[in-house]
């Protein structure tokens, strides 16, 4: 399996999502976060876009987001129980496993996801994490987890022009949770979950000691 090619294709897809403003519908908005959705073009569910301004430099925000075994993500993101790098393909590409807890009052059982992740840094200071589902011989499906599938997804940490102490964080999710979950539960879960994600991220960045 050509992990690098799959990750690069996912990154190209995410970049197109970030530039294409058509078809988005607002599904949740607070003072600091907006979440939009539109039908996914790659599976039968929806593509979700979360957008927030975090009062910190991109590198500081990235410390809380970067995909690494033993990283900060497990500590602040209540939708991540465990995160492991299964294989380091190159300096910028790795295959990772994410374990998520049960959600929606137990309707959504614990899941695990295997993704190839590409980290890209841009000349303007932006940092992106780009992922899509893959298989890996070291981690076949396990009985106690439902195997979910992330279609091209990821996060953008983008400097805010003229505001060196602020970062625009864009997150894209299009996740096939698998299993027999009512569509209404899925559609209510993601906007709430994404809003909580940004709230917890902002708090983690504020408390970060670097």
């Amino acid at each position: 399996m050509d992990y690098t090619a799959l990750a690069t294709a996912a990154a190209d897809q995410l970049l197109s999502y970030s530039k294409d403003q058509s078809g988005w519908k607002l599904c949740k908005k607070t003072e600091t976060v907006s979440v939009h959705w539109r039908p996914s073009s790659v599976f039968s569910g929806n593509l979700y876009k979360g957008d927030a301004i975090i009062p910190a430099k991109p590198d500081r925000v990235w410390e809380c987001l970067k995909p690494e075994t033993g990283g900060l993500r497990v500590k602040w993101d209540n939708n991540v129980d465990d995160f492991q790098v299964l294989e380091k393909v190159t300096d910028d590409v790795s295959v990772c496993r994410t374990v998520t807890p049960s959600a929606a009052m137990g309707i959504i059982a614990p899941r695990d996801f295997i993704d190839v992740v590409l980290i890209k840094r841009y000349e303007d200071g932006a940092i992106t994490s780009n992922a899509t589902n893959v298989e890996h011989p070291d981690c076949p499906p396990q009985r106690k987890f439902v195997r979910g599938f992330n279609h091209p997804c990821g996060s953008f940490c983008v400097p805010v022009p003229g505001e060196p102490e602020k970062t625009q964080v864009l997150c894209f999710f299009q996740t096939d949770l698998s299993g027999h979950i009512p569509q209404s539960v899925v559609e209510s879960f993601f906007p709430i979950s994404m809003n909580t994600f940004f709230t917890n991220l902002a708090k983690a960045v504020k408390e970060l000691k670097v």
Side-chain angles (χ1 to χ4, degrees), residues 21 41 48 50 59 71 83 85 106-107 110 130 151 154 161 164 185 192 202 206:
Q21 301 301 314
S41 62
Y48 292 91
D59 281 337
F83 184 90
V85 175
I107 297 174
N130 311 269
H151 298 281
V185 173
I192 295 171
K206 185 177 181 180

Side-chain angles (χ1 to χ4, degrees), residues 70-182:
L72 295 175
R73 183 74 177 267
V74 174
K75 298 179 180 179
W76 64 262
D77 190 341
N78 57 11
N79 279 320
V80 177
D81 269 353
D82 192 23
F83 184 90
Q84 304 167 332
V85 175
L86 300 175
E87 180 182 342
K88 194 79 172 174
V89 181
T90 69
D91 286 344
D92 300 319
V93 177
S94 55
V95 180
C96 306
R97 177 176 183 254
T98 306
V99 176
T100 62
S102 63
M105 296 182 292
I107 297 174
I108 300 175
R111 277 159 167 73
D112 72 345
F113 301 84
I114 311 299
D115 300 295
V116 60
V117 182
L118 167 63
I119 308 304
K120 295 189 72 172
R121 290 179 177 267
Y122 293 85
E123 291 183 358
D124 66 356
I127 311 167
T128 68
S129 172
N130 311 269
T132 192
N133 72 87
V134 293
E135 295 180 357
H136 194 275
D138 290 349
C139 200
Q142 300 179 27
R143 183 171 295 179
K144 62 181 178 178
F145 298 107
V146 177
R147 177 60 52 88
F149 301 94
N150 287 316
H151 298 281
C153 60
S155 303
F156 290 63
C157 295
V158 182
V160 176
E163 301 272 8
E165 296 297 326
K166 291 184 179 181
T167 300
Q168 180 187 23
V169 180
L170 278 173
C171 289
F172 295 92
F173 290 93
Q174 49 182 344
T175 300
D176 181 354
L177 292 173
S178 301
H180 303 289
I181 305 172

Side-chain angles (χ1 to χ4, degrees), residues 11-23:
D12 291 343
Q13 193 79 56
L14 284 173
L15 189 60
S16 73
Y17 294 158
S18 70
K19 293 179 177 180
D20 183 3
Q21 301 301 314
S22 63

